[in-house]
């Protein structure tokens, strides 16, 4: 009996060790399907080359080398034109480089490959609504893309916030407020939603609600100190070079406003500070309207 138990234990330990080794080397290895299927040597070599190029592209992207990453993703897609991640990130690189039409074309290619790619629809909507110089500006198209993203994934608050933005840019303030309020009910930590709720409440004269929302946004935007030794979260780049922004400051007309909250002093937001902040945003919206960019 004891001998049987020992044999089983040895087998289990061996399996566990094999799994551990496999996990530790997975990022460096060719996918199992390439090695174990009946593929030819040339096809296996092609698959290896794709993953080598893809890893290089991802490394360059994470370092903020947009031009290099763009070239590498294009090289990867020359090998596998239907790879979803490569298409998605190539579109992001074009966006970073302000090559907006190429970004749109690339995300459209991703949708041809995967018609339910919510992230592709989100990025398309962002291009059409960001208001950046040189970007196509079409709020009706943006709303369609965000609605498609929401229909695919109703659990995500991203499309809801973006639909709120489109409605705000279109002058439909009450509908925008409904979207932002819905977003914070699902994600109470959304700095952008709280910030824009504050603006809309300020616009309609509810100063108490506006101040409360802005204070909440400012509090949530303050950097949180991680305990010593805690693992870095996704996107944290301490010591790792520039973080991928994916055009964060240009993906939304409102981004530069709410993202600036993290630079505010750690004191309670005053009514005067609120008025200055929202008057500035209101002025920028008015300029956008005067330029004829918002119909």
């Amino acid at each position: 009996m004891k001998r049987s138990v020992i044999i089983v234990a040895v087998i289990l330990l061996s399996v566990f060790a094999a799994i551990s080794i496999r996990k530790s080397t997975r990022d460096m290895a060719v996918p199992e399907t390439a090695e174990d299927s009946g593929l030819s040597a040339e096809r296996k070599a092609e698959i290896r080359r794709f993953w080598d190029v893809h890893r290089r592209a991802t490394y360059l992207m994470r370092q903020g080398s947009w031009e290099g990453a763009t070239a590498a993703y294009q090289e990867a897609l020359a090998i596998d034109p239907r790879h979803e991640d490569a298409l998605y990130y190539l579109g992001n690189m074009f966006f970073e480089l302000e090559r907006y039409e190429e970004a749109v074309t690339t995300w459209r290619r991703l949708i041809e490959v995967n018609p339910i790619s919510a992230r592709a629809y989100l990025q398309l909507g962002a291009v059409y609504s960001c208001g950046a110089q040189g970007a196509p500006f079409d709020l009706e198209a943006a709303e369609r893309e965000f609605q498609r993203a929401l229909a695919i994934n109703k659990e995500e608050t991203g499309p809801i916030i973006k639909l709120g933005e489109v409605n705000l840019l279109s002058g439909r303030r009450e509908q925008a407020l409904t979207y932002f309020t819905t977003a914070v009910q699902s994600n109470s930590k959304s700095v952008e939603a709280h910030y824009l709720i504050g603006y809309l409440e300020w616009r309609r004269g509810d100063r108490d609600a506006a101040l409360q929302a802005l204070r909440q946004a400012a509090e949530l935007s303050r950097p949180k100190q991680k305990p010593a030794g805690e693992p870095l979260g996704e996107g944290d780049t301490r010591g790792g070079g520039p973080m991928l922004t994916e055009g964060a400051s240009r993906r939304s007309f409102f981004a530069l406003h709410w993202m600036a909250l993290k630079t505010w002093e750690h004191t309670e937001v005053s009514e005067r500070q609120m008025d200055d902040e929202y008057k500035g945003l209101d002025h920028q919206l008015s300029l956008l309207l005067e330029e004829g960019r918002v119909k």
Side-chain angles (χ1 to χ4, degrees):
M1 182 67 179
K2 288 184 179 179
R3 184 176 180 184
S4 299
V5 171
I6 292 171
I7 291 172
V8 171
V10 169
I11 292 172
L12 289 174
L13 285 171
S14 299
V15 170
F16 178 78
I19 292 172
S20 300
I21 293 169
R22 183 178 181 79
K23 284 182 177 179
S24 67
T25 59
R26 183 169 50 193
D27 290 341
M28 299 295 294
V30 177
E32 183 179 354
T33 53
E35 295 293 357
D36 296 340
S37 65
L39 297 176
S40 67
E42 286 142 354
R43 179 57 181 153
K44 290 178 183 177
E46 188 177 56
I47 292 172
R48 290 192 194 94
R49 187 164 67 87
F50 171 85
W51 286 109
D52 286 343
V53 174
H54 189 278
R55 279 191 287 268
R56 174 159 51 85
T58 303
Y59 172 80
L60 291 168
M61 176 181 67
R62 289 174 177 168
Q63 296 301 308
S65 179
W66 314 134
E67 293 280 7
T70 298
Y73 279 123
Q74 287 174 316
E75 185 180 345
L77 286 164
I79 303 169
D80 184 357
R82 297 175 61 82
H83 193 271
E84 293 185 34
D85 280 350
L87 286 166
Y88 174 73
Y89 288 116
L90 176 60
N92 288 352
M93 295 303 93
F94 283 137
F95 193 88
E96 290 285 359
L97 294 168
E98 301 180 22
R99 294 161 61 175
Y100 300 113
E101 293 297 339
E102 290 169 281
V104 168
T105 299
T106 304
W107 289 321
R108 292 286 182 209
R109 285 172 56 195
L110 172 54
I111 289 169
E112 288 176 6
V113 173
N114 179 8
I116 58 170
S117 176
R119 59 181 179 172
Y121 290 116
L122 271 172
Q123 295 295 68
L124 286 168
V127 170
Y128 289 130
S129 62
C130 68
Q133 191 66 36
F137 195 75
D138 186 336
L139 292 178
E140 290 184 1
E143 188 166 14
R144 284 196 302 271
E145 303 299 349
F146 291 138
Q147 288 287 6
R148 286 166 181 160
L150 182 60
I152 292 167
N153 192 346
K154 293 182 172 62
E155 303 301 317
E156 292 293 329
T157 57
I160 298 173
I161 292 174
K162 302 306 286 186
L163 285 165
E165 285 187 15
V166 169
N167 277 271
L168 180 50
L169 288 168
S170 301
R172 302 190 297 265
R173 297 191 187 96
E174 290 302 317
Q175 196 164 343
L177 183 58
T178 299
Y179 275 117
F180 295 134
T181 302
T182 301
V184 296
Q185 288 171 350
S186 299
N187 178 13
S188 61
K189 294 184 179 181
S190 172
V191 175
E192 181 178 7
H194 284 293
Y195 175 85
L196 291 173
I197 286 172
Y199 168 71
L200 289 164
E201 296 289 9
W202 177 85
R203 277 279 312 187
R204 67 181 188 177
D206 191 337
R207 296 180 63 80
D208 289 340
L211 188 58
Q212 181 181 356
L214 182 57
R215 283 175 175 171
Q216 182 71 11
E219 176 63 29
L220 288 168
S221 69
R222 290 170 184 163
K224 304 297 187 292
Q225 293 294 328
K226 291 188 176 183
E230 183 176 327
L232 299 183
E234 184 177 356
D236 195 332
T237 58
R238 292 199 298 263
M243 182 175 66
L244 173 65
T245 64
E246 297 180 18
S249 64
R250 289 179 284 107
R251 282 192 305 176
S252 163
F253 171 81
F254 303 99
L256 286 176
H257 294 273
W258 63 265
M259 289 175 68
L261 295 178
K262 65 181 67 174
T263 67
W264 288 17
E265 293 183 6
H266 294 182
T267 56
E268 190 170 78
V269 178
S270 67
E271 287 196 50
R272 180 176 178 178
Q273 193 174 7
M274 174 184 71
D275 287 333
D276 290 343
E277 176 64 25
Y278 286 144
K279 282 178 184 177
L281 174 59
D282 202 52
H283 178 65
Q284 291 297 318
L285 274 170
S286 298
L287 290 177
L288 194 66
L289 184 61
E290 288 171 11
E291 291 172 3
R293 301 209 68 191
V294 179
K295 303 291 193 263

